[in-house]
């Protein structure tokens, strides 16, 4: 089956900055696809290219198997999106905004459907209030309603949980899962809340400085049982040399200014600890991290890490 | 033969008699005619021909009351009435209790009109000089050039019809002086449509305007209220 | 496209700032009418200052002169210089305003081509301009006719006086307002073009007004070097051509010929130039916008 999104060798140059550099990835139907990267990595630029807000310098984008340049309107009829903040018309009510963007999406949406959309995001009671009276969280929810109002097949969300409280975040998570698993929508989500992405993403891509760092299924790239250990000792340089000479060498990832990085399975921790003691290494702290955030940082944090793997 | 001789003699006698009229006699006859009219209300159409005014033909009413009240009113529209229009009234020439010095200039050859100049004896009179071109036979002033102290020189040309007995013209052409037209700066931003402006230097220097009134009817000596002239 | 146009008009007329222009027009017209109702004769004294040397200028003459048609002409003389600003308020906001609000990026992810989007935006600005002009017509023309009545229209030009019979005036105003619509659409198109470059509508609005003011000055001042080289090509030179409908043909005796226009081909030529500017401005705006990266 054709991927819903197929990006091949995508590049975007802005004067003297290469914002996106030969990026290729694909998104399968029904997936929740995580789009991760530091600030300035090129996520927003890529998303804008997918939505034809920015023209690529080179490369190819296909959505639903169609070339985006040639079949733009046909494709966008089936796409809903929030890009950065969901800015809407502040002087209009939520219902008026929703009506406008539904009409612009090329679909006829009944008043009942519009109200149902607002109810879905918890804004039914404030449907007739002007958006300028809304909190940031309410605006975010309205933005999501706007992205979904025309029942698109592909949904692109840039920071969908911005400004939401924990309950709101949980609600969005459930909504995304519902859209993906029960309604077979495809979602591409860019988010900084890596703990949330860990819970919902099927596949992901991590980009850095416009380039792909890693792409694949979440459960293949990242094993929660795998940990990254930050090891602080009395003499990190000497310890680093000692470890390179020992059978703990295979766990060593590199060193940072303030500590050493080891990558090992959770079950291996006791044995490694014992070995360190036997080697007479003065351990000040042994901090194990085993989250997507840690994985992400391990791949993208710079310039202090001397050696990176994968 | 006798009849022919008699006829010829009569004609010659008439000519002789006519030629024999003095300026005073002619002027008196004209005045007598004009004095028949105490007041009138006349209807007419007025054409304004001034180099810087484009105007439609106006329906006017002209009111006159002895000795020198004259008012031209546009019935419903707007007309630029020249100052000194009171001089359209021929009686204005004769308003002078001190009398005139008359100069008989004889006849104008091409029109056969008698030319008589009137110089008021009163040095304070508004009219300084009038030159009248008179049809002796009918005792009607066909043309008048009047020089006034306040308003420069005017010309009048009259043509007569059914009201000739009263010395009232069917058509009057009144020629008067105009000053240069100037609009205060900043009043308007005009559109330059490229139309040819008046290029003839003589016409531009002319600074004369012309008003032509063609009368359709006169109501004579039925009384005219003074309020009309206010 | 009609559906999108309805949306744009809905957005324009839902916005409070839209009504500033209508209020401003009403205020200026009413103030002018009230001022002239109470002391129009002093206003006329200024204009008739020179004419009164040669012609009778009675109170009755002034009252007739100050009729609804004359008042409307005087209002248009002033307002059609101010109107470009009011038009630029909306047109200058067309794209820049959306960029500033952040709604531009959402709108451009919809299945609407950028060309269609721009055309709809521009058409909405034009319709707003027409409605504003209609508002002006109702207040300035029909309002003045109601307050001051009607009579011969006397137009004072720098080179002379044009007079039109009362029955010969109304159609000229219809034509003049029609022309004014084209003139203001030209300003709208300029503001629209400038709106593409900005992310805040203040910039395009001020830039439009500055351009209109500078070019109007160039158009009106008689600086010989500009008369043949620059003036004929400035759109501001042709924006005042609505007055041409009030320049009447006359015969050799200066008698006006009812129902005529002194130089209709010139007016049509001016209109053609304005239309060319509109096409140029809007075409350029669309061309640039199609290639623009939307980063807001």
């Amino acid at each position: 089956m054709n991927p819903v999104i197929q990006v091949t060798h995508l590049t975007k140059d802005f004067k003297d900055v290469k914002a996106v550099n030969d990026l290729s990835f694909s998104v399968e139907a029904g997936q929740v696809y995580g789009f991760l990267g530091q600030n300035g990595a090129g996520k927003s630029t890529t998303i804008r290219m997918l939505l034809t807000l920015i023209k690529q310098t080179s490369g190819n984008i296909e959505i639903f198997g169609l070339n985006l340049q040639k079949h733009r309107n046909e494709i966008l009829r089936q796409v809903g999106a929030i890009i950065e903040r969901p800015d809407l018309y502040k002087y209009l009510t939520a219902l008026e905004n929703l009506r406008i963007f539904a009409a612009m999406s090329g679909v006829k949406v009944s008043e009942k459907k519009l109200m149902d959309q607002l109810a879905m995001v918890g804004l039914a009671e404030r449907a007739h209030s002007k958006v300028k009276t809304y909190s940031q969280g309410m605006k975010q929810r309205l933005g999501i309603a706007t992205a979904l109002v025309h029942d698109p097949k592909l949904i692109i969300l840039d920071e969908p949980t911005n400004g939401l409280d924990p309950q709101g975040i949980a609600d969005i998570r459930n909504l995304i899962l519902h859209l993906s698993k029960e309604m077979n929508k495809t979602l591409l989500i860019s988010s900084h809340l890596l703990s949330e992405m860990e819970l919902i993403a099927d596949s992901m891509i991590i980009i850095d400085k416009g380039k792909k760092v890693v792409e694949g299924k979440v459960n293949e790239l990242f094993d929660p049982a795998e940990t990254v250990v930050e090891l602080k000792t009395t003499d990190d340089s000497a310890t680093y040399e000692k470890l390179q000479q020992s059978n703990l060498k295979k766990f060593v990832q590199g060193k940072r200014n303030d500590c050493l990085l080891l990558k090992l399975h959770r079950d291996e921790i006791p044995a490694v600890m014992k070995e360190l003691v036997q080697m007479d290494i003065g351990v000040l702290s042994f901090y194990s991290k085993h989250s997507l955030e840690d994985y992400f940082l391990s791949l993208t944090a710079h310039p202090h890490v001397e050696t990176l793997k994968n | 033969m006798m009849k022919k001789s008699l006829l010829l003699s009569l004609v010659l006698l008439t000519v002789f008699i006519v030629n024999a009229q003095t300026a005073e006699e002619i002027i008196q006859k004209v005045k007598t005619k004009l004095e028949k009219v105490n007041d009138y209300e006349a209807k007419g159409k007025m054409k304004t021909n001034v180099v810087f005014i484009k105007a439609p033909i106006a329906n006017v009413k002209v009111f006159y009351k002895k000795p020198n009240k004259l008012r031209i009113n546009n019935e419903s529209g707007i007309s630029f009435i020249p100052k000194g229009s009171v001089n359209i009234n021929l009686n204005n020439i004769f308003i002078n209790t001190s009398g005139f010095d008359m100069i008989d200039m004889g006849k104008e050859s091409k029109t056969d009109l008698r030319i008589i100049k009137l110089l008021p004896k009163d040095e304070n009179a508004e009219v300084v000089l009038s030159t009248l071109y008179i049809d002796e036979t009918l005792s009607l002033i066909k043309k008048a050039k009047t020089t006034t102290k306040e308003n420069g020189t005017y010309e009048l040309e009259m043509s007569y019809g059914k009201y000739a007995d009263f010395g009232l013209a069917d058509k009057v052409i009144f020629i008067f002086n105009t000053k240069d037209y100037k609009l205060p700066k900043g009043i308007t931003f005009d559109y330059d449509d490229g139309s040819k402006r008046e290029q003839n230097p003589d016409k531009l220097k002319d600074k004369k305007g012309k008003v032509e009134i063609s009368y359709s009817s006169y109501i004579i000596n039925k009384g005219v209220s003074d309020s009309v002239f206010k | 496209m009609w559906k999108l146009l309805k949306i744009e008009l809905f957005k324009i007329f839902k916005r409070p700032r839209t009504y500033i222009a209508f209020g401003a027009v009403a205020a200026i017209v009413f103030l002018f009418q009230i001022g002239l109702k109470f002391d129009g004769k002093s206003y006329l004294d200024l204009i008739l200052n020179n004419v009164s040397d040669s012609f009778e200028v009675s109170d009755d003459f002034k009252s007739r002169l100050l009729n609804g048609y004359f008042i409307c002409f005087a209002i248009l003389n002033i307002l059609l210089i101010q109107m470009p600003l009011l038009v630029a308020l909306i047109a200058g906001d067309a794209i820049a305003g959306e960029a500033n609000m952040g709604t531009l990026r959402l709108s451009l992810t919809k299945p609407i081509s950028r060309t269609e989007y721009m055309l709809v935006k521009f058409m909405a600005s034009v319709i707003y301009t027409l409605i504003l002009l209609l508002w002006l017509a109702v207040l300035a023309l029909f309002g003045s006719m109601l307050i001051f009545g009607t009579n011969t229209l006397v137009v004072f030009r720098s080179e002379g006086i044009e007079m039109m019979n009362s029955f010969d005036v109304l159609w000229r105003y219809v034509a003049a307002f029609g022309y004014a619509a084209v003139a203001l659409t030209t300003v709208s198109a300029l503001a629209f073009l400038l709106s593409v470059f900005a992310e805040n509508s203040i910039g395009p609005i001020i830039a439009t007004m500055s351009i209109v003011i500078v070019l109007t000055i160039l158009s009106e001042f008689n600086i010989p070097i500009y008369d043949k080289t620059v003036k004929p090509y400035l759109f501001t030179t042709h924006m005042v051509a609505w007055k041409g409908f009030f320049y009447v043909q006359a015969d050799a005796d200066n008698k006006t010929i009812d129902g005529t226009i002194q130089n209709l081909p010139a007016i049509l030529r001016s209109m053609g130039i304005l239309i060319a500017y509109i096409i140029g401005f809007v075409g350029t705006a669309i061309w640039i916008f199609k290639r623009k990266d939307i980063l807001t």
Side-chain angles (χ1 to χ4, degrees):
Chain A
M1 196 168 158
N2 279 340
V4 170
I5 300 176
Q6 180 75 57
V7 172
T8 327
H9 303 299
L10 192 65
T11 300
K12 177 63 184 179
D13 294 321
F14 286 116
K15 283 185 185 170
D16 44 0
V17 174
K18 216 176 193 72
V20 175
N21 191 353
D22 193 29
L23 184 65
S24 299
F25 64 92
S26 63
V27 180
E28 301 297 328
Q31 273 190 335
V32 177
Y33 192 87
F35 201 64
L36 312 177
Q38 301 268 19
N39 281 338
K43 301 193 302 296
S44 190
T45 305
T46 306
I47 287 174
R48 283 174 187 258
M49 283 192 277
L50 290 176
L51 295 166
T52 70
L53 293 174
I54 293 177
K55 204 163 177 182
Q56 65 261 38
T57 306
S58 63
N60 196 49
I61 301 173
E62 281 184 8
I63 300 179
F64 306 126
L66 301 170
N67 181 279
L68 182 60
Q69 301 300 324
K70 291 180 186 156
H71 300 274
R72 178 192 179 269
N73 286 357
E74 198 184 330
I75 290 167
L76 290 180
R77 235 168 247 129
Q78 298 292 336
V79 177
I82 302 176
I83 312 123
E84 293 173 28
R85 311 173 304 283
D87 287 320
L88 297 157
Y89 297 104
K90 295 188 177 68
Y91 57 93
L92 298 178
T93 65
L95 189 59
E96 285 165 345
N97 267 286
L98 205 56
R99 195 181 295 125
I100 283 172
F101 286 109
M104 288 176 79
S105 302
V107 293
K108 245 191 152 121
V109 180
S110 66
E111 288 294 295
K112 184 181 178 306
K113 172 89 193 279
L114 293 175
M115 288 304 295
D116 287 344
Q117 283 292 124
L118 289 172
M120 183 180 72
V121 294
L123 291 174
E125 280 175 16
R126 296 291 302 274
H128 301 285
S129 302
K130 287 198 171 35
V131 170
K132 66 181 177 196
T133 65
Y134 275 25
S135 67
Q136 185 56 41
M138 290 166 78
K139 286 179 193 167
Q140 196 73 25
R141 283 187 269 153
L142 180 57
I144 291 166
T146 310
L148 302 177
V149 72
H150 55 294
D151 199 25
K153 284 189 200 157
L154 169 64
I155 301 152
I156 298 175
L157 302 175
D158 190 358
E159 304 293 343
T161 54
N162 235 359
L164 296 180
D165 58 19
Q167 184 58 54
I169 293 170
D171 290 341
I172 296 303
R173 182 199 318 141
N174 292 332
L175 176 63
I176 290 170
L177 289 170
H178 167 73
L179 288 167
S180 168
K181 307 302 173 218
E182 277 149 58
M183 300 192 65
N184 206 35
K185 306 283 187 199
T186 307
L187 292 103
L188 183 138
I189 303 175
S190 162
S191 179
H192 285 131
L193 270 185
L194 298 177
S195 53
E196 279 299 307
M197 295 305 295
E198 200 176 326
L199 294 173
I200 57 175
D202 301 311
S203 298
M204 69 179 185
I205 183 171
I206 295 176
I207 67 171
D208 190 45
K209 290 180 184 167
K211 280 178 167 260
K212 175 164 64 177
V213 176
V214 71
E215 183 196 7
K217 288 193 165 49
V218 171
N219 58 12
E220 285 170 10
L221 289 174
F222 160 65
D223 182 353
E226 286 279 319
T227 77
V228 170
V229 171
E230 288 177 355
L231 175 67
K232 189 99 184 85
T233 63
T234 49
D235 186 346
D236 286 338
S237 296
T239 304
Y240 181 76
E241 293 305 323
K242 272 190 190 171
L243 290 176
Q244 291 292 355
Q245 311 297 324
S246 70
N247 52 7
L248 294 182
K249 181 183 173 184
K250 63 185 177 193
F251 300 120
V252 177
Q253 290 294 294
K255 65 178 176 185
R256 287 208 307 243
N257 286 341
D258 57 341
C259 63
L260 300 172
L261 293 173
L262 308 176
K263 194 171 175 189
L264 59 158
H265 198 277
R266 207 167 42 208
D267 296 341
E268 290 167 317
I269 291 176
V272 166
M273 294 269 304
K274 199 173 170 186
E275 189 78 24
L276 288 171
V277 168
Q278 281 172 355
M279 285 165 75
D280 208 17
I281 289 170
V283 175
L284 295 173
S285 72
F286 187 97
Y287 181 48
S288 75
K289 295 163 136 193
H290 49 84
S291 65
L292 178 58
E293 183 181 335
D294 305 324
Y295 178 70
F296 172 81
L297 286 173
S298 73
L299 294 175
T300 63
H302 43 65
H304 308 297
V305 178
E306 288 175 8
T307 321
L308 285 171
K309 269 178 100 172
N310 292 345
Chain B
M1 186 69 179
M2 262 301 264
K3 271 188 184 169
K4 275 189 187 166
S5 304
L6 200 60
L7 199 62
L8 190 63
S9 308
L10 273 169
V11 168
L12 283 168
L13 190 65
T14 312
V15 168
F16 179 72
I17 287 166
V18 165
N19 268 345
Q21 284 187 102
T22 62
E24 288 78 7
E25 283 166 351
I26 293 166
I27 293 295
Q28 189 51 52
K29 279 184 178 170
V30 167
K31 272 177 91 174
T32 305
K33 211 170 222 183
L34 292 173
E35 274 161 16
K36 282 188 206 170
V37 178
N38 296 319
D39 57 65
Y40 66 72
E41 178 186 318
K43 269 193 184 165
K45 287 196 188 292
M46 185 172 82
K47 244 202 266 191
T48 308
N49 188 347
V50 175
V51 73
F52 58 81
I53 300 178
K54 284 189 220 165
I57 291 183
N59 291 320
V60 296
K61 266 197 180 151
V62 183
F63 298 90
Y64 164 75
K65 194 167 185 175
K66 237 179 188 170
N68 65 345
K69 287 198 181 116
L70 188 121
R71 175 58 58 90
I72 303 172
N73 281 350
N74 187 315
E75 292 250 66
S76 53
I78 298 172
S79 290
F80 284 87
I81 310 289
K83 270 194 164 141
S85 58
V86 68
N87 290 290
I88 287 174
N89 158 35
L90 289 168
N91 274 343
N92 224 36
I93 298 165
F94 300 109
I95 291 171
N96 193 328
T97 49
S98 309
F100 295 93
D101 287 326
M102 290 185 209
I103 304 170
D104 188 344
M105 306 297 290
K107 280 196 177 186
E108 186 181 59
S109 50
K110 59 179 180 183
T111 59
D112 213 34
L113 297 171
R114 188 75 168 266
I115 304 170
I116 299 172
K117 286 189 192 284
L118 299 178
L119 293 112
K121 286 179 179 163
D122 180 3
E123 284 172 2
N124 296 321
E126 168 60 17
V127 173
V128 170
L129 169 69
S130 300
T131 308
L132 306 178
Y133 295 70
I134 301 170
D135 182 328
E136 290 182 79
T137 322
L138 299 171
S139 301
L140 291 169
I141 301 174
K142 287 292 184 85
K143 198 160 126 179
K145 283 183 188 167
T146 307
T147 304
T148 64
K149 277 187 183 155
E150 294 277 321
N151 295 303
T153 305
Y154 299 93
E155 282 178 43
L156 280 167
E157 289 173 22
M158 271 70 66
S159 31
Y160 296 88
K162 58 183 181 184
Y163 298 96
D165 283 346
F166 292 94
L168 295 174
D170 271 5
K171 183 160 136 180
V172 173
I173 296 174
F174 177 62
I175 299 166
F176 56 97
N177 296 314
T178 58
K179 295 232 169 88
D180 278 341
Y181 171 75
K182 256 178 273 183
L183 203 61
K185 274 190 171 44
I187 290 282
T188 176
F189 291 135
D190 278 348
Y191 170 53
D192 181 4
D193 66 354
S195 300
K196 284 200 180 105
R197 291 196 194 99
E198 182 56 68
Q199 297 293 334
N200 185 339
D202 290 331
K203 260 204 162 181
L204 283 169
K205 254 193 239 163
D206 199 2
K207 295 185 190 174
K208 290 248 182 232
K210 189 162 88 173
V211 150
E212 190 179 300
I213 304 176
S214 300
Y215 293 93
S216 54
S217 66
Y218 284 90
I219 299 170
I220 305 168
N221 293 338
K222 297 291 183 205
V224 171
S225 163
D226 281 338
S227 61
V228 164
F229 302 100
K230 286 200 178 105
Chain C
M1 204 185 244
W2 171 237
K3 189 175 66 181
L4 292 173
L5 186 57
K6 282 202 305 190
I7 289 171
E8 285 306 315
L9 290 170
F10 175 78
K11 277 158 43 184
I12 288 173
F13 286 98
K14 263 284 186 173
R15 212 156 175 198
R17 76 158 74 162
T18 303
Y19 299 94
I20 293 174
F22 289 89
V25 165
I28 295 169
V29 171
F30 285 143
L31 283 171
F32 203 82
Q33 287 169 335
I34 289 166
L36 288 181
K37 186 73 180 167
F38 284 111
D39 195 21
K41 289 175 183 161
S42 304
Y43 174 78
L44 282 177
D45 284 340
L46 182 66
I47 299 172
L48 295 170
N49 183 36
N50 174 244
V51 165
S52 59
D53 289 340
S54 308
F55 296 92
E56 302 284 350
V57 175
S58 63
D59 280 352
D60 175 62
F61 175 83
K62 288 186 203 173
S63 302
R64 293 185 189 206
L65 194 58
L66 273 177
N67 61 72
Y69 290 140
F70 179 82
I71 304 290
C72 181
F73 193 91
I75 291 172
L76 291 185
N77 228 2
I78 296 167
L79 255 187
L80 287 178
I81 299 165
Q82 264 57 268
M83 288 285 276
L85 171 63
L86 301 177
V87 157
L89 272 181
I90 297 300
D93 189 61
I95 304 300
E98 297 269 359
N100 185 238
M101 282 190 285
T103 47
L104 185 64
R105 60 175 181 272
L106 190 50
S107 300
L108 294 180
T109 62
K110 297 302 171 187
I112 304 159
S113 70
R114 289 205 188 180
T115 301
E116 191 182 355
Y117 185 75
M118 289 290 275
L119 285 173
V120 164
K121 279 279 186 191
F122 180 64
M123 276 160 59
S125 303
V126 171
I127 290 172
Y128 161 82
T129 300
L130 293 177
I131 294 174
L132 190 63
L133 207 50
L134 191 64
W135 175 242
L136 173 64
V138 165
L139 294 179
L141 180 58
F142 297 110
S144 296
M145 286 163 71
L146 211 64
I147 298 169
F148 296 91
T150 60
N151 208 315
T152 303
L153 171 61
V154 180
V155 170
F156 293 89
R157 295 172 67 177
S158 54
E159 60 183 58
I161 297 170
E162 308 264 347
M163 296 173 69
M164 282 140 270
N165 279 318
S166 178
F167 57 80
D168 192 31
V169 175
L170 202 55
W171 70 270
R172 295 175 189 273
Y173 270 115
V174 171
F177 275 108
Y179 190 92
V182 177
L184 291 175
T185 301
T186 312
V187 177
S188 190
L190 172 61
F192 186 69
L193 168 60
L194 296 174
S195 187
V196 168
F197 296 102
E199 287 166 18
N200 186 306
S201 52
I202 299 288
I205 292 167
I206 292 176
T208 303
M209 277 319 295
S210 303
I211 291 168
V212 168
I213 288 167
V214 167
L215 296 186
T216 302
I217 290 168
L218 271 178
S219 295
E220 295 300 330
F221 275 16
N222 294 318
I223 302 168
I225 191 171
Y226 297 130
D227 274 359
K228 288 207 172 91
T229 51
V230 168
K231 249 164 95 157
Y233 307 105
L234 300 176
F235 67 88
T236 42
T237 303
H238 301 281
M239 276 172 64
V240 290
W242 62 272
K243 293 188 183 183
F245 288 106
F246 300 96
Y247 301 165
V248 194
Q249 275 184 33
D251 63 17
D253 293 333
N254 270 348
K255 178 179 85 66
T256 54
I257 305 166
D258 291 332
T260 60
I261 295 165
Q262 185 170 278
N263 196 344
L264 182 61
I267 299 173
L268 294 175
R269 200 165 37 246
S270 289
M271 187 185 273
I273 290 170
L274 290 182
I275 291 172
Y277 265 100
I278 292 169
I279 293 170
F281 286 149
V282 176
T284 305
I286 293 174
W287 188 85
I288 291 169
F289 191 68
K290 279 175 77 164
R291 282 150 188 77
K292 190 179 154 86
D293 285 336
I294 307 300
L295 300 171
T296 53

